Amino acid sequence: MDFRLTPEQLAFQAEVIDFIEHGLPPGWDQEFESLEDRLAVERDIMKRLAAKRWLALPWPKEYGGLGASPMQQMLFNEQMAYHGVPGTVNMGVAWVGPVIMLYGTEEQKARFLTRIADGTDLWCTLYSEPGAGSDLAAMQTRAVRDGDDYIINGQKIWTTFGHYADWGWLAARTDPNAPKHKGISTFAVKMDSPGITVRPLVNMAGTHEFNEVYFEDVRVPASNLVGEENRGWYNVAVGLDFERSSIGATSNARRTVDDLVALLKERRGRTPDPIRHRMAEHAIGVQILRNLAYYIASQQEKTGIAPTREAQMAKLFGAELQQRIAATALQIFGMGGQAAPPGSRALRYQYLYLRSVANTIEGGTSEIQRTVIATRGLGLPRE
């Protein structure tokens, strides 16, 4: 493929960079004292993006987007992630909305999509359970039809930002006697519904992103069933493909490498060969990952779907690359990187190192990614 951008793409890229430099609220890139302060800034940014129809950039205009191409979306995501702009990683935009467009009713599209695109409603994803992570189809949360409602009982875990989401994208078992990939349905659930309890899970980096979510006789209107009953696994699979075609990991890794190179240049004396060689390897890895992301976007433009094998490769390679870069960053700071005091330059890299562990788990573990690449991507037989 031709990796050169067209004049139109270069113009759009410049427009995005100009917005980052001049269109964001003051102090958007500061350290926030509380999650509430950060959320307020994120919602402000989302509203500004929505006013330009950039929050849901590739969506059709009738749903609040601009009908942008996959390459435009990728260029937008690349710049936002590279500059660390918060509020742009939006589950409602990334995979809930696209699945509703494909499988939802006209009433559901009218009810949900505009409020996602204008930044009014935030969504969380209610998939994983204590006994259903990599083997997601083993989920046991039940949805039982009762008149005009479904009654939900069960537990979800590792629910990112479930503590401030307005809506949840729920996968639950509606037929316990069906094969495990077939008795599942998907629902839109209001997160303040009676019977929902959200409990925090603080990760090893010390931040509260994840949650446990308990459902006790939660009533969900049957009109919130998205797609056909018992065929929700297909909705889940489509949603995961949307998630795994992101360029965010590429841009985050590239920014970290660029910052570390700048830091090493500031220091007096010669950089040890092991560190120099490792930084060279990381620079190569970032370029490989970026080329892969561009290829995925180009294939989406041609076919309308993300190539599964390459999307899995990008997710796997990107997650493990971020871990390797974070480990090098701590080595650069030495012992000070492991015991970084508040306000120190090393604190950011300490957080990246601890948080990078989750990168190889969330959205599909590295082991599962390798299995999918081997079987679905390379056609190798299962044992």
Side-chain angles (χ1 to χ4, degrees), residues 181-299:
H181 286 88
K182 294 191 175 179
I184 294 170
S185 302
T186 49
F187 301 87
V189 179
K190 199 81 171 68
M191 288 301 291
D192 61 0
S193 300
I196 293 181
T197 301
V198 180
R199 295 180 182 172
L201 290 172
V202 178
N203 64 27
M204 63 190 291
T207 56
H208 176 198
E209 301 173 35
F210 307 122
N211 302 272
E212 295 176 290
V213 181
Y214 294 86
F215 296 83
E216 185 175 357
D217 294 331
V218 177
R219 285 191 170 270
V220 176
S223 59
N224 286 14
L225 169 71
V226 178
E228 296 180 43
E229 186 179 79
N230 297 325
R231 290 183 59 83
W233 179 255
Y234 303 100
N235 300 1
V236 171
V238 168
L240 289 175
D241 276 341
F242 279 114
E243 177 183 6
R244 289 171 182 157
S245 58
S246 172
I247 195 176
T250 310
S251 303
N252 291 334
R254 183 162 63 93
R255 181 57 185 265
T256 304
V257 169
D258 288 350
D259 289 348
L260 289 174
V261 168
L263 171 65
L264 290 169
K265 288 179 178 179
E266 290 176 11
R267 292 185 169 184
R268 294 182 178 179
R270 181 175 179 272
T271 302
D273 280 345
I275 295 297
R276 292 197 305 158
H277 293 173
R278 206 164 292 139
M279 292 305 300
E281 290 176 0
H282 297 332
I284 294 169
V286 166
Q287 190 59 49
I288 291 170
L289 186 59
R290 194 175 186 219
N291 289 352
L292 186 55
Y294 271 65
Y295 173 79
I296 292 169
S298 72
Q299 292 302 300

Side-chain angles (χ1 to χ4, degrees), residues 139-154:
M139 67 180 68
Q140 296 300 312
T141 295
R142 287 292 314 278
V144 179
R145 185 69 182 256
D146 181 41
D148 292 332
D149 297 330
Y150 283 87
I151 300 177
I152 313 294
N153 282 282

Side-chain angles (χ1 to χ4, degrees), residues 316-337:
L316 169 65
F317 189 75
E320 296 191 348
L321 177 63
Q322 288 185 88
Q323 276 197 343
R324 293 192 293 271
I325 294 172
T328 299
L330 284 197
Q331 288 183 327
I332 289 172
F333 282 94
M335 295 298 292

